[in-house]
Amino acid sequence: MLATLTIKNYALIDHLQVRFSEGFTTITGETGAGKSILLGGLSLVLGKRADLSSIKNSEEKCVIEASFKIENYQLEDFFKESDLDFEKQTIIRREILPSGKSRAFINDTPVTLDVLSQLGVQLIDIHSQHQTLQLTDNDFQFKVIDAVASNEKVLEKYTQKLTQYHQIKKELKKLIDFQQEADKEYDYNSFLLQELEAANLKEGMLEELEATYEKLNNVEEISESISHAQQILGEEQIGTLSGLNELKTIFNKLSHFGVSYKELYSRVQSALIELDDIHVEIQRLEEGLEADPQQLEEVNNKLQLIYSLQKKHHVLEISELLAVQKELAEKVSKTESLESDIKERQLELLKQEEELDAIAKTIRTNREKAIPALKKHLEAVLKELGMGNAQFKIDLEATSKYFSNGKDELHFLFSANKGGSFNELRKVASGGELSRIMLAIKSLLAQYMHLPTIMFDEIDTGVSGEISNKMGEIMQQMSKTMQVFTITHLPQVAAKGDAQFKVFKEDNQGVTASQMKELSEEERVREIAEMLGGKEVSDAATAHAKELLLKKN
């Protein structure tokens, strides 16, 4: 429930702080006193977008703060999901800075307007004349029927399943679209892939092939050079190895004459070992040299194929060709598996449709059972509100479409007069009739939706006498299970409140400001008497006011 409301520097309000209690609270005041300002401030703290023009003093910030007792409203999960501290008495604050920037806080934690709005709708239902138009909205009509039908849990299940259904449907469409495009490219991609696979590409093979080609293409020149090198090293008389062997013998004899000769001997010996190894390697190369025109042609053909593939795919390295090959393989494989993937998704979709149909059928059955009770309740309440001939015709029509709340279309028709034809509410119900219908619906929803607080803004406009008395009784009855506020001009309604607040204007040093105060029992008598007979309060009006207040219980 709404426990306190503080408003600073908003519209005509300098500073206002009020405390509220449980039950039924009525708010009265002359036209233009600022009752709508109160609603506007409360709407801001519940997440409505701010308007800089609403600041009274443009040099100071506007602050609106409301505290709510929420321990019995099962909001712990919302606070946890929103990363907020849960407090039994939660404080919501909204600040509008002179710069126009707006800030919102829940228990002193900054939040976005979206989070604020999500919490706000779970705390207060503000019923304005604008909201009365919701009656003509098909979604609201479904909401009423589903509340009476206790469809909340089954609708949650339906919504979850519908989300899965749309996801699978989206994936299926994506696969089908991909298949249509892939089919056009499949043959070409397959050809390119086969061409690359036939090349049997491997990392480093280009360098190996180019080296082999150079070797085979220049075998005579290489052979001559190798033979010459062999002669330099291995000639018995003048070969390098022969000379080094002589040096080795010389310094071996001199090594015992000093360290320097011994070191030279060691170095000559090391050089001899290395050159001997070089000689063996040269012999091996010489033995492996052989002209092979057929292999040269094969290597050249392979090289030309690789060069051609590189040019075709606009790459320079074998690794890049292998990446292209992998990508093509994936495309071809995916195209080949698309048909089975599509069939799999189609089967999944059929399964989802079967499950959705079963849930939608349950929703529809519950609605069909609830409609007679809803119709009976509304007509009975409207009869008490002076609309004895009011009738509803509520029909469900099964469809093949999956809507957000089932597979039904709803026809919510109304006739205000006996023998009159049924038509849509927006076409046949007047503003006063819509207000009374909305009150009847809200009184019913209060039994099913357990909304903590509801605030009616002049829902009794256009009615008087016994009808207004009955409207007050309905709101009074609602207040036994929830906190109810109503802004009213009718004394019969105002007197029904457990508490009554008056909104009024006062002038202070030439500045007009709106104020709000809770009335004492004596002040209530005076206020209601004025509502009955005007500023000049007569004894009869006072007596009538006292009588109305006595009847509230």
Side-chain angles (χ1 to χ4, degrees):
M1 59 163 275
L2 176 63
T4 64
L5 178 64
T6 302
I7 301 176
K8 296 179 182 178
N9 194 33
Y10 176 73
L12 292 178
I13 298 174
D14 286 320
H15 183 272
L16 173 68
Q17 185 171 26
V18 286
R19 295 181 179 275
F20 300 110
S21 57
E22 297 178 350
F24 185 28
T25 298
T26 59
I27 300 173
T28 59
E30 294 180 359
T31 301
K35 298 186 294 297
S36 60
I37 296 174
L38 180 71
L39 279 181
L42 190 57
S43 297
L44 280 176
V45 88
L46 296 175
K48 181 183 175 183
R49 295 207 169 273
D51 182 356
L52 188 58
S53 63
S54 61
I55 297 180
K56 190 174 191 296
N57 184 344
S58 60
E59 296 180 359
E60 297 179 8
K61 69 179 178 181
C62 166
V63 180
I64 302 171
E65 185 173 283
S67 65
F68 296 85
K69 293 179 181 178
I70 63 170
E71 57 186 310
N72 298 322
Y73 301 149
Q74 290 79 49
L75 291 173
E76 288 86 351
D77 288 343
F78 173 84
F79 276 74
K80 186 176 181 181
E81 290 168 6
S82 303
D83 197 23
L84 295 168
D85 294 328
F86 178 82
E87 300 288 347
K88 292 180 180 178
Q89 180 134 336
T90 282
I91 297 174
I92 300 176
R93 187 171 78 256
R94 187 79 182 277
E95 297 179 356
I96 306 169
L97 305 180
S99 63
K101 185 178 180 182
S102 168
R103 299 186 298 189
F105 303 85
I106 297 177
N107 292 330
D108 284 331
T109 299
V111 295
T112 63
L113 283 188
D114 184 52
V115 172
L116 193 63
S117 297
Q118 288 178 42
L119 177 60
V121 296
Q122 298 180 75
L123 297 178
I124 296 185
D125 175 13
I126 298 180
H127 172 83
S128 62
Q129 293 179 357
H130 169 72
Q131 196 195 38
T132 300
L133 296 176
Q134 282 187 337
L135 274 174
T136 64
D137 181 73
N138 204 237
D139 288 339
F140 181 79
Q141 293 165 359
F142 265 120
K143 183 179 178 181
V144 173
I145 292 174
D146 287 326
V148 178
S150 300
N151 265 339
E152 182 180 359
K153 295 295 183 184
V154 69
L155 278 169
E156 285 180 11
K157 187 177 179 183
Y158 175 86
T159 301
Q160 292 171 358
K161 188 62 65 177
L162 185 64
T163 300
Q164 295 173 8
Y165 171 79
H166 284 311
Q167 182 61 34
I168 294 171
K169 197 172 183 180
K170 184 179 178 182
E171 291 172 1
L172 177 60
K173 184 179 184 304
K174 190 176 179 181
L175 283 172
I176 291 173
D177 290 344
F178 183 84
Q179 185 186 45
Q180 291 174 348
E181 291 299 317
D183 285 345
K184 297 175 185 177
E185 300 177 4
Y186 176 74
D187 291 340
Y188 182 60
N189 287 338
S190 296
F191 168 75
L192 293 178
L193 178 62
Q194 290 169 10
E195 194 176 44
L196 286 167
E197 287 176 339
N200 196 23
L201 301 171
K202 294 177 183 177
E203 291 276 4
M205 71 179 298
L206 181 60
E207 292 77 7
E208 291 178 11
L209 285 170
E210 287 176 339
T212 301
Y213 177 80
E214 290 300 319
K215 174 184 170 183
L216 292 172
N217 196 43
N218 299 282
V219 65
E220 292 182 5
E221 182 180 344
I222 294 170
S223 180
E224 289 175 4
S225 298
I226 290 292
S227 295
H228 187 208
Q230 174 79 332
Q231 287 176 0
I232 291 171
L233 286 171
E235 185 69 37
E236 288 187 14
Q237 300 299 323
I238 60 169
T240 303
L241 285 172
S242 177
L244 275 175
N245 275 314
E246 280 190 47
L247 285 174
K248 178 184 175 183
T249 301
I250 292 169
F251 286 107
N252 185 33
K253 291 178 181 179
L254 297 175
S255 61
H256 61 280
F257 290 119
V259 176
S260 298
Y261 300 111
K262 190 172 183 180
E263 288 177 354
L264 281 171
Y265 169 75
S266 296
R267 291 170 67 185
V268 170
Q269 188 177 31
S270 297
L272 184 60
I273 291 171
E274 178 64 20
L275 276 177
D276 190 52
D277 188 58
I278 290 172
H279 184 226
V280 171
E281 180 66 17
I282 288 173
Q283 285 180 321
R284 187 188 67 76
L285 290 172
E286 187 177 32
E287 290 169 0
L289 274 175
E290 182 180 352
D292 190 338
Q294 183 177 350
Q295 186 185 7
L296 176 61
E297 184 179 359
E298 290 175 359
V299 170
N300 183 52
N301 290 339
K302 186 79 171 178
L303 280 172
Q304 295 308 313
L305 173 61
I306 292 174
Y307 294 150
S308 174
L309 289 171
Q310 287 177 326
K311 184 177 180 181
K312 178 182 287 188
H313 295 284
H314 308 288
V315 298
L316 298 174
E317 305 291 339
I318 291 290
S319 60
E320 293 175 298
L321 278 178
L322 288 170
V324 171
Q325 182 178 326
K326 182 181 179 182
E327 184 180 349
L328 285 169
E330 289 174 354
K331 285 183 178 179
V332 169
S333 174
K334 195 169 184 179
T335 303
E336 291 172 346
S337 65
L338 272 176
E339 190 170 343
S340 62
D341 289 344
I342 288 172
K343 286 181 179 178
E344 184 180 335
R345 284 290 183 276
Q346 287 172 333
L347 289 173
E348 284 183 35
L349 201 64
L350 284 173
K351 183 181 177 182
Q352 291 291 327
E353 286 178 354
E354 289 174 1
E355 294 177 3
L356 271 174
D357 288 345
I359 299 171
K361 186 177 180 181
T362 301
I363 293 171
R364 177 178 172 78
T365 300
N366 293 344
R367 286 169 175 169
E368 288 174 333
K369 290 178 181 177
I371 285 174
L374 171 62
K375 183 176 179 293
K376 183 178 179 181
H377 173 90
L378 293 179
E379 290 175 355
V381 173
L382 290 178
K383 185 175 182 180
E384 294 180 356
L385 294 176
M387 297 173 65
N389 295 320
Q391 294 182 74
F392 289 90
K393 186 178 181 183
I394 306 172
D395 295 324
L396 286 175
E397 181 181 340
T399 72
S400 59
K401 298 178 182 178
Y402 293 107
F403 301 113
S404 61
N405 60 355
K407 297 183 69 178
D408 302 326
E409 285 186 351
L410 175 64
H411 304 285
F412 202 101
L413 306 178
F414 175 72
S415 173
N417 304 306
K418 184 178 283 188
S421 60
F422 286 93
N423 212 325
E424 296 175 22
L425 278 169
R426 62 185 175 85
K427 293 181 179 179
V428 294
S430 66
E433 288 170 339
L434 285 174
S435 292
R436 281 178 270 182
I437 295 169
M438 179 60 94
L439 181 59
I441 286 175
K442 290 289 185 180
S443 68
L444 180 64
L445 290 180
Q447 303 173 28
Y448 292 93
M449 299 184 72
H450 310 294
L451 194 68
T453 296
I454 188 167
M455 183 171 285
F456 292 107
D457 180 16
E458 299 184 1
I459 196 169
D460 48 23
T461 298
V463 300
S464 59
E466 184 54 34
I467 304 303
S468 61
N469 189 57
K470 190 61 190 177
M471 293 184 86
E473 288 178 1
I474 290 172
M475 287 184 274
Q476 191 178 42
Q477 184 65 32
M478 290 172 65
S479 71
K480 291 181 179 180
T481 57
M482 64 191 299
Q483 186 185 37
V484 178
F485 291 87
T486 186
I487 295 173
T488 181
H489 286 293
L490 300 179
Q492 295 88 343
V493 174
K496 291 284 192 295
D498 299 310
Q500 182 176 345
F501 285 79
K502 180 177 180 178
V503 179
F504 58 95
K505 287 180 181 179
E506 63 179 9
D507 293 331
N508 186 8
Q509 296 180 348
V511 178
T512 301
S514 290
Q515 284 292 336
M516 179 179 182
K517 64 172 290 188
E518 184 174 5
L519 301 180
S520 65
E521 198 67 22
E522 186 177 336
E523 288 170 328
R524 290 189 73 178
V525 172
R526 173 77 185 182
E527 174 72 6
I528 292 172
E530 287 185 5
M531 294 172 74
L532 286 165
K535 289 292 183 181
E536 298 297 326
V537 177
S538 65
D539 291 341
T542 300
H544 191 186
K546 288 179 179 179
E547 183 183 357
L548 288 175
L549 285 167
L550 283 172
K551 286 183 177 179
K552 73 176 181 179
N553 297 320

